[in-house]
C-alpha cells in the first residue's frame, strides 16, 4: 500500500466559490489554470441540507451549481481568477447560461474574505465602467455558505467523459476559445 501526502510548502492557498453555469463546463476551464490546485463541483447558496443533483436541477433548494477552487495566490491572483470567471460565462443573464435556465445556473461569487468581496465588487464596477458587456452585470456577490460536494460522477466530468456528446459539442469549444484567450495562464503540460 502506497500512501501519498500532498504538502503545500511555501504556497499561499486560498479558496473561492464561483457559480457560473453548469459546473461540468466551469470545472474543466478552471482545472487548466496555473496556480489552481483543486476544483470541486458542488452546490451553495440554498436552503436545503445536503441537496442532490436532481433536487438542485428541479430548482427546489435555492442552490447554485458551483465550483469551489483552491489556488496558490502567489501564482495566480484573485483578480486573474475573476477575469477568467467573467470571460467564460454570461454574467448579464439572470438565472440563465445559454440553454440552461433556473436559479441553479445564476452568476454568483461566494466570497470567504472581505478582500474577496471588495475585489469582486471592484471588478464588476470596472467591467461596467469599461462597458465590456452590452447589458448590466447581474452577478451576485454573497458570503460563502455551506458547500455541498456534488455526487462523484460530477467530479472531473470532462476529463472522465471526453467522448460524451455534451463534452464534445459544448465543453470542448469553450475550452478551445478559452485556450486562445488565456494561453499564458494554462498549465504547460496541457498545451502539448
Amino acid at each position: 500500500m502506497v500512501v501519498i501526502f500532498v504538502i503545500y510548502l511555501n504556497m499561499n492557498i486560498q479558496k473561492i466559490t464561483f457559480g457560473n453555469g453548469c459546473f461540468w463546463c466551469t470545472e474543466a476551464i478552471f482545472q487548466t489554470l496555473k496556480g489552481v490546485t483543486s476544483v470541486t463541483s458542488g452546490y451553495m447558496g440554498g436552503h436545503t441540507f445536503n441537496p442532490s443533483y436532481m433536487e438542485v436541477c428541479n430548482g427546489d433548494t435555492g442552490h447554485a451549481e458551483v465550483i469551489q477552487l483552491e489556488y496558490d495566490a502567489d501564482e495566480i491572483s484573485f483578480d486573474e481568477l475573476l477575469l477568467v470567471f467573467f470571460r467564460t460565462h454570461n454574467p448579464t443573464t439572470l438565472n440563465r447560461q445559454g440553454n440552461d435556465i433556473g436559479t441553479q445556473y445564476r452568476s454568483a461569487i461566494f466570497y470567504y474574505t472581505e478582500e474577496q468581496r471588495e475585489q469582486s465588487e471592484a471588478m464588476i464596477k470596472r467591467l461596467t465602467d469599461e462597458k465590456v458587456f452590452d447589458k448590466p452585470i447581474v452577478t451576485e456577490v454573497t458570503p460563502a455558505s455551506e458547500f455541498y460536494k456534488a455526487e462523484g460522477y460530477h467530479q472531473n466530468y470532462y476529463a472522465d467523459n471526453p467522448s460524451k456528446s455534451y463534452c464534445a459539442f459544448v465543453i470542448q469549444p469553450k475550452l478551445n476559445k478559452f485556450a486562445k484567450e488565456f494561453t499564458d495562464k494554462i498549465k504547460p503540460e496541457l498545451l502539448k
Side-chain angles (χ1 to χ4, degrees):
M1 175 185 218
V2 176
V3 178
I4 299 173
F5 292 96
V6 177
I7 301 173
Y8 297 119
L9 296 176
N10 301 320
M11 294 177 86
N12 182 7
I13 301 299
Q14 305 290 319
K15 180 170 48 172
I16 189 65
T17 301
F18 290 139
N20 44 332
C22 171
F23 48 40
W24 293 347
C25 293
T26 56
E27 175 194 66
I29 288 169
F30 281 89
Q31 284 176 329
T32 68
L33 290 173
K34 295 177 197 173
V36 172
T37 58
S38 74
V39 181
T40 306
S41 294
Y43 317 109
M44 187 176 278
H47 51 77
T48 302
F49 175 77
N50 201 22
S52 70
Y53 179 67
M54 290 311 298
E55 290 172 323
V56 172
C57 284
N58 288 337
D60 299 331
T61 71
H63 289 88
E65 283 192 23
V66 298
I67 52 169
Q68 188 171 77
L69 310 175
E70 289 187 359
Y71 63 98
D72 181 355
D74 293 333
E75 189 170 353
I76 188 166
S77 72
F78 186 60
D79 273 350
E80 290 172 313
L81 290 173
L82 287 172
L83 284 173
V84 171
F85 169 79
F86 282 109
R87 292 290 296 150
T88 56
H89 82 294
N90 185 344
T92 70
T93 54
L94 186 63
N95 301 326
R96 179 180 192 147
Q97 290 301 309
N99 293 326
D100 294 331
I101 301 171
T103 57
Q104 67 270 30
Y105 301 114
R106 67 188 180 267
S107 178
I109 300 168
F110 295 98
Y111 63 86
Y112 293 87
T113 67
E114 268 307 295
E115 184 180 13
Q116 288 177 340
R117 180 190 64 77
E118 291 168 3
Q119 286 180 261
S120 298
E121 290 173 353
M123 181 65 71
I124 290 170
K125 182 178 182 331
R126 179 180 138 202
L127 295 172
T128 300
D129 290 348
E130 293 176 3
K131 298 180 180 8
V132 172
F133 298 100
D134 294 339
K135 298 177 184 171
I137 294 171
V138 296
T139 303
E140 68 178 61
V141 179
T142 309
S145 57
E146 186 71 30
F147 173 77
Y148 298 101
K149 184 176 178 180
E151 295 82 349
Y153 69 94
H154 292 298
Q155 309 305 322
N156 298 306
Y157 189 82
Y158 175 76
D160 292 344
N161 302 284
S163 61
K164 288 202 174 189
S165 61
Y166 186 86
C167 295
F169 296 111
V170 177
I171 298 175
Q172 188 60 58
K174 286 184 180 188
L175 282 171
N176 292 344
K177 180 181 176 192
F178 174 73
K180 287 179 185 172
E181 292 183 42
F182 292 94
T183 303
D184 61 323
K185 300 293 177 206
I186 296 176
K187 294 173 182 170
E189 64 272 19
L190 298 177
L191 294 172
K192 295 176 184 175

